[in-house]
Amino acid sequence: MIRLSTPLGAEVLDLRAGDRVLLSGTIYTARDEAHLKILEDGFPFDPAGAVLYHCGPVVDTERNVIVAAGPTTSARMNGLTAPMIDAGVRSLIGKGGMSAEVREALSGRAVYFVFTGGCAALAASCMELVDCHYPELGMAEAVWEIRVRDMPLVVGIDAHGRDLFEDVARSVRERYDQLRL
Amino acid sequence: MDPLLFERLAQAVEEAVREAEIVLPPDVETALRRATDRETNPVARGEFANILDNLLKARDLRVPICQDTGIPVVYLTVPPTVPVTAELYDAVAAGIRRATRSVPLRPNGVDPISRENSGDNTGAGLPPVHVVPGNVLRVMVLPKGAGSENMSQIRMMMPSQVSDIPRFVVDVVMTAGARPCPPVVVGVGIGGTFDGAAALAKEALLERIDSMDAYEQEICDAINALGIGPMGLGGDTTALAVKVKRGFCHTASLPVAVNIQCWCCRRGVREVVL
């Protein structure tokens, strides 16, 4: 296991698709609406070395705690991601993989991590709520600033153009052609 | 309806939702543990470790397993002594509203066009309530997440295509890839009408997944031969189980529906004392 802490720098360039990582530090949730808001009104935080988490958490707003916070499908953010990387974001966390366009945007600059889909309780257990930005977007779409400790991740797309999802998809197509049904 | 019965039914719905959201049924957890033991891919083993760790954390902390607490689909067994009235449906909706606050659930229910959120997981047609006759008043809740629901498909096949059904099911899972949070459970509805096949596919997801017949096993083996693996990162298990339900159909029809469920195959059951 590789240990990393935020803000992230050039160390992400050493990561390879398939590496397992424990991430500590500050991350920011951002789904579709948050991306659009950031593109319009700017970042409510310093994007240099930042980590975006594709997640719409369940937050107990009375006690100020994250109740459940697994990843959402990253592909919805495909068309909105390149400007984030241009602004200095060093990594994304999500599930399901992203497009070739995102793979190119990451090249030489940033990585895409996968956090196991559905593991909301595990995520919440390593998180501490710090702040909420753009609360008017609602609970699922707001930008939640979260401190994490040892969040277990896998590198899905590295900064050298290797994409685990693309590798698997290629092998799945080969295996499908050999199926006898 | 007796106000006390209304109250008990609403409470049973609330408790069934809570149980479903926090603890997976034992047969599902067993299937996940078996898949973990069999897994040979190191990345997939890591994903399974996270899934099992997550189940423990949810149980210990009494929090939902997944933040997509889903859309509640309700199956109600109703005995002859309980009349099926509008109040019966009202009591179910009341239970869903309470669960939304107390579990808590993410408010997921929106108007399909305006996308306006009701805030309490109820609205026109929500929750869907399926009433079946029985001997006791029992509620079963199936919280259905969108990631897997969105990957589901229905096809009006031709009666001459019976032998193509397994390939259609495999195609649906392959097209879904990483998106429905594999390892998935695959509900298949064969026969009935256009809507009936979809209903059968969803009902198939209510069944225990620790046993399969030869037909289900054949399809499941074919899916697992693809190697999509947990979260689409590659691995030996892509489907924990395939469950098939059949219904008589028109001689000129062969509707086939495939309803995909994520690994978080939630069900909650409560019986209501009359």
Side-chain angles (χ1 to χ4, degrees):
Chain A
M1 286 282 212
I2 300 159
R3 297 191 107 89
L4 291 177
S5 41
T6 67
L8 296 174
E11 68 272 24
V12 300
L13 306 179
D14 297 333
L15 298 172
R16 291 287 184 273
D19 283 350
R20 294 180 70 194
V21 170
L22 292 174
L23 178 72
S24 297
T26 304
I27 65 174
Y28 301 89
T29 68
R31 288 169 48 123
D32 320 47
E33 296 290 331
H35 280 74
L36 292 169
K37 186 82 175 167
I38 288 169
L39 291 176
E40 209 174 284
D41 297 348
F43 284 88
F45 53 86
D46 181 3
V51 178
L52 295 185
Y53 183 23
H54 301 150
C55 166
V58 179
V59 181
D60 182 336
T61 45
E62 280 169 22
R63 295 189 303 132
N64 251 0
V65 293
I66 306 269
V67 177
T72 193
T73 301
S74 298
R76 292 202 314 276
M77 273 60 77
N78 280 341
L80 305 167
T81 293
M84 307 291 142
I85 307 300
D86 291 343
V89 168
R90 279 288 193 174
S91 109
L92 316 164
I93 306 173
K95 73 172 175 93
M98 298 192 79
S99 62
E101 178 198 349
V102 172
R103 193 159 64 225
E104 271 169 42
L106 294 175
S107 181
R109 299 192 285 180
V111 295
Y112 171 72
F113 289 119
V114 182
F115 180 70
T116 314
C119 288
L122 174 63
S125 74
C126 62
M127 288 177 171
E128 198 183 312
L129 182 56
V130 177
D131 205 353
C132 179
H133 307 280
Y134 297 136
E136 65 272 24
L137 298 178
M139 188 188 288
E141 303 288 343
V143 175
W144 298 93
E145 183 174 338
I146 297 168
R147 197 168 299 128
V148 295
R149 227 186 100 189
D150 291 343
M151 190 177 186
L153 306 169
V154 173
V155 180
I157 308 172
D158 64 27
H160 309 277
R162 194 168 156 228
D163 180 344
L164 207 47
F165 290 94
E166 188 47 39
D167 291 355
V168 171
R170 199 178 306 118
S171 128
V172 166
R173 280 192 294 272
E174 284 166 15
R175 286 160 174 239
Y176 178 81
D177 291 337
Q178 288 160 15
L179 274 189
R180 264 189 243 139
L181 270 175
Chain B
M1 184 188 252
D2 172 4
L4 290 175
L5 182 59
F6 183 100
E7 179 55 33
R8 285 202 297 275
L9 176 54
Q11 196 182 338
V13 169
E14 183 185 5
E15 286 171 3
V17 171
R18 182 177 294 112
E19 173 192 309
E21 296 287 353
I22 295 174
V23 183
L24 279 189
D27 57 299
V28 178
E29 185 166 341
T30 302
L32 284 164
R33 290 193 183 280
R34 280 191 194 144
T36 305
D37 293 342
R38 276 197 308 268
E39 186 60 59
T40 56
N41 177 311
V43 171
R45 289 189 69 84
E47 295 304 295
F48 275 120
N50 285 351
I51 288 172
L52 295 177
D53 193 10
N54 186 63
L55 293 183
L56 290 177
K57 292 262 166 38
R59 205 171 326 183
D60 286 353
L61 303 168
R62 298 291 296 164
V63 296
I65 302 163
C66 178
Q67 81 289 340
D68 184 356
T69 49
I71 281 286
V73 184
V74 179
Y75 294 84
L76 211 54
T77 306
V78 180
T81 49
V82 176
V84 177
T85 60
E87 277 183 302
L88 194 73
Y89 292 83
D90 291 346
V92 171
I96 296 299
R97 280 192 286 270
R98 290 181 197 177
T100 301
R101 282 192 308 270
S102 70
V103 175
L105 307 179
R106 197 170 72 185
N108 282 332
V110 302
D111 178 277
I113 305 294
S114 74
R115 310 307 291 180
E116 201 175 306
N117 196 313
S118 66
D120 62 10
N121 285 310
T122 67
L126 181 67
V129 180
H130 303 272
V131 174
V132 280
N135 298 320
V136 292
L137 183 58
R138 189 176 54 220
V139 53
M140 191 181 232
V141 179
L142 170 76
K144 193 68 180 66
S148 57
E149 191 76 352
N150 288 347
M151 295 296 113
S152 303
Q153 291 189 38
I154 189 162
R155 181 180 290 176
M156 302 305 284
M157 299 179 78
M158 287 184 286
S160 60
Q161 292 179 306
V162 169
S163 63
D164 295 340
I165 295 172
R167 186 163 287 272
F168 171 54
V169 179
V170 172
D171 286 351
V172 173
V173 177
M174 187 168 91
T175 305
R179 287 172 288 181
C181 280
V184 294
V185 176
V186 186
V188 183
I190 304 176
T193 48
F194 178 74
D195 57 315
L200 285 170
K202 179 144 275 116
E203 283 165 30
L205 297 175
L206 296 174
E207 301 201 348
R208 290 175 59 112
I209 62 166
D210 47 6
S211 68
M212 284 184 271
D213 65 24
Y215 188 69
E216 294 165 335
Q217 188 72 56
E218 185 202 352
I219 301 174
C220 192
D221 290 347
I223 291 169
N224 287 332
L226 296 176
I228 295 168
M231 296 306 132
L233 295 167
D236 303 321
T237 300
T238 303
L240 295 169
V242 173
K243 300 303 289 185
V244 176
K245 282 204 97 167
R246 303 170 195 197
F248 260 54
C249 58
H250 193 292
T251 183
S253 288
L254 177 58
V256 179
V258 181
N259 195 195
I260 300 192
Q261 176 66 299
C262 51
W263 64 259
C264 191
C265 185
R266 298 169 284 199
R267 289 177 232 129
V269 190
R270 278 288 183 280
E271 201 170 305
V272 184
V273 180
L274 292 174

